[in-house]
Amino acid sequence: MAHTLWIGTRKGLFSLRADRARRRWRLTGPQFLGHVIHHVVQDPREPRVLLLGARTGHLGPTVMRSTDRGRSWHEAAAPPAFRKAGEGEEARAVERVFWLTPGHRSERGRWYAGSSPAGLFRSDDGGERWEPVAGFNDHPQRAQWAALPTPDGQFLHSIQVDPRDPRHLYIAISIGGVFESGDAGASWTPLNEGCAADFLPDPDALFGHDPHCVVQHPAMPDRLYQQNHCGIYRLDRPGRRWQRIGEAMPKKIGDVGFPIVLHPTDPDRAWVLPMDGGAVWPRTSIDGRPAIYATRDAGASWRRLDRGLPRSQAWLTVLRQAMCTDTHSRIGLYFGTTAGEVWASSNGGESWRCLVRHLPEIYSVTHAA
């Protein structure tokens, strides 16, 4: 099986292609040099198709599409855009196409996109033409749900499609919280009970939380994990209350970070990359000693994995889309840093090596078979 890592950066798109043993990797690129690449995703229904969300200097925020595994690209005919504002309404404009998710396996050609400011969009022709999802974008509470920005802006991300039901969706908003739809996006309900929001005056608020990354396990779709601004959580449906599994992390390390990734077949296994969540939230490796923490028991316990990573003075930041797994029988893990490094493990995180250095600031790392 071929293994490709697509690396979206602040200054263009790069790829790393591995041999079958994943021992040797070849760097190619850049494509779209000088443009911001937020997210690159392969279509599992049509593996030759890739979509990327970009903010380009001359085209603005847009979606690019490839039908030949990334050799060539063309811009979407109608990129994501909010509807025209009516009289007396505040006009909204997409600033970034931040997140991309393929639709259900039964919905050939359907994709979802999340934007900054928080907006949800859908395409039914493989990403060529996009329409706003009115059930969210025009919801009477949308302005209250997504009232606050992060220091880097406001984002709709972590779009999850239930593999059992194409109408069952989850989204996350930074800042706003997690929301659920059972009717393909026509209506939405907050899903934040149990999550801390230390920056809100009401500890039991229904929304206003800051989920950094939410993932749904493909083999057990009733299980969701969340890396939040205020901890690591697990939710087992049909329950509605998140459990703070980050409380089992070492107290000195805490449970703050951006990404969380799951084992593709074992719903009890997950990996996080903790970062300093101190008073000024530096968002760097704790004490300058980066490490992955792994659980094999759904968050009841965590184990530090740092063999091969720098032992000191390594103040790494890894963003929410910049960590992934592959589909190898011996699971591979990968992450990219804002300092332009890509690190890899071919044994589930037990040991690490740096594949490449000196790239531009890395926004996303995704695997394509």
Side-chain angles (χ1 to χ4, degrees), residues 17-354:
R17 290 184 168 87
D19 60 16
R20 288 186 176 273
R22 299 174 298 175
R23 292 193 183 96
R24 291 184 295 274
W25 294 79
R26 180 170 59 89
L27 178 69
T28 60
Q31 296 173 290
F32 306 106
L33 181 61
H35 300 316
V36 175
I37 309 299
H38 288 292
H39 206 197
V40 188
V41 180
Q42 182 184 43
D43 190 337
R45 303 156 299 187
E46 296 182 80
R48 294 181 61 83
V49 174
L50 295 161
L51 263 60
L52 67 80
R55 187 176 64 189
T56 66
H58 57 291
L59 298 175
T62 192
V63 170
M64 307 295 289
R65 187 172 188 265
S66 173
T67 57
D68 54 12
R69 295 185 181 270
R71 295 181 182 86
S72 61
W73 300 83
H74 70 270
E75 188 189 10
F82 291 107
R83 66 168 176 79
K84 185 178 179 180
E87 186 176 352
E89 292 182 325
E90 181 182 358
R92 286 178 284 164
V94 171
E95 297 170 4
R96 299 178 236 189
V97 179
F98 186 71
W99 191 278
L100 294 164
T101 293
H104 191 269
R105 61 181 177 271
S106 68
E107 297 179 311
R108 190 178 180 90
R110 174 161 287 191
W111 283 77
Y112 293 93
S115 72
S116 174
L120 181 63
F121 303 87
R122 181 166 52 220
S123 170
D124 284 319
D125 60 1
E128 282 288 350
R129 294 169 179 81
W130 295 83
E131 296 290 339
V133 177
F136 176 79
N137 294 346
D138 296 331
H139 194 284
Q141 286 190 279
R142 184 205 56 81
Q144 288 76 42
W145 288 346
L148 298 173
T150 73
D152 293 324
Q154 184 191 84
F155 309 103
L156 190 149
H157 58 87
S158 299
I159 304 166
Q160 304 292 317
V161 181
D162 191 325
R164 302 162 301 185
D165 180 1
R167 296 172 59 81
H168 187 201
L169 310 174
Y170 299 96
I171 60 172
I173 305 168
S174 295
I175 297 172
V178 178
F179 298 84
E180 178 184 22
S181 173
D183 51 17
S187 62
W188 295 89
T189 304
L191 189 62
N192 300 294
E193 185 179 349
C195 292
D198 300 339
F199 47 86
L200 293 179
D202 180 2
D204 298 317
L206 295 177
F207 51 85
H209 303 71
D210 189 4
H212 287 170
C213 187
V214 178
V215 283
Q216 181 180 25
H217 199 280
M220 186 187 286
D222 280 336
R223 175 165 289 175
L224 291 91
Y225 289 85
Q226 177 185 169
Q227 174 66 75
N228 190 288
H229 181 86
C230 300
I232 305 168
Y233 297 86
R234 191 190 77 234
L235 176 64
D236 291 317
R237 308 307 309 273
R240 299 190 62 83
R241 185 173 185 84
W242 294 85
Q243 177 186 353
R244 189 166 184 174
I245 57 176
E247 290 180 341
M249 290 279 286
K251 298 303 180 187
K252 185 179 178 180
I253 300 300
D255 59 348
V256 171
F258 282 118
I260 182 167
V261 298
L262 307 182
H263 191 284
T265 59
D266 186 345
D268 289 340
R269 296 184 66 183
W271 295 265
V272 295
L273 204 160
M275 285 176 269
D276 194 330
V280 295
W281 232 91
R283 300 179 174 90
T284 56
S285 304
I286 297 156
D287 296 329
R289 298 177 59 227
I292 305 298
Y293 277 76
T295 181
R296 289 177 173 264
D297 51 19
S301 63
W302 297 87
R303 187 164 69 95
R304 183 181 178 96
L305 304 173
D306 62 1
R307 181 152 50 100
L309 294 174
R311 307 302 296 175
S312 65
Q313 294 293 3
W315 306 93
L316 307 185
T317 300
V318 178
L319 301 178
R320 76 191 81 208
Q321 291 142 291
M323 187 174 177
C324 68
T325 64
D326 65 23
T327 54
H328 198 278
S329 57
R330 197 180 188 197
I331 195 76
L333 288 168
Y334 311 92
F335 68 84
T337 75
T338 57
E341 300 173 345
V342 177
W343 290 82
S345 169
S346 59
N347 53 13
E350 294 293 332
S351 62
W352 293 86
R353 64 186 177 113
C354 189

